[in-house]
Amino acid sequence: MSPIIGGKAVKGPTAKMMEELGLPVDAAAVARRYGDLIDVYVADDEDAAAVAGLDIPVVLTRTLMTNLAEREALARAVLAAPERIPT
């Protein structure tokens, strides 16, 4: 799951570390960095344009959780994400 939404880190030093490594601070850069390790990528709806064209399946959903309903919806999206992996 992307720790970046709209070019900003959700929490912690992710954006600062990416900048220091010379990486763009966006959801697609995170996906490309881990591309050899992941089968599907969950990103925020806000980053749809940024992750378009990645070579891995992407699940778009709201990833910023501010209440229980959003936590449950994200959990459902993450649990369903493997269905997006081509066989």
Side-chain angles (χ1 to χ4, degrees):
M1 181 171 349
S2 177
I4 303 290
I5 299 174
K8 297 180 181 166
V10 175
K11 182 179 178 182
T14 305
K16 183 177 186 288
M17 291 184 330
M18 291 176 74
E19 287 173 353
E20 289 172 357
L21 291 170
L23 299 170
V25 180
D26 64 29
V30 175
R32 285 191 294 273
R33 188 78 170 169
Y34 291 101
D36 293 342
L37 302 172
I38 59 177
D39 295 314
V40 63
Y41 189 60
V42 178
D44 195 86
D45 292 324
E46 185 175 331
D47 293 311
V51 298
L54 288 174
D55 292 335
I56 57 172
V58 175
V59 172
L60 292 170
T61 190
R62 179 173 166 83
T63 61
L64 186 62
M65 303 169 290
T66 59
N67 59 50
L68 181 59
E70 290 172 347
R71 289 182 186 108
E72 290 173 351
L74 180 57
R76 281 193 223 62
V78 170
L79 291 172
E83 296 171 10
R84 303 284 304 270
I85 300 170
T87 55

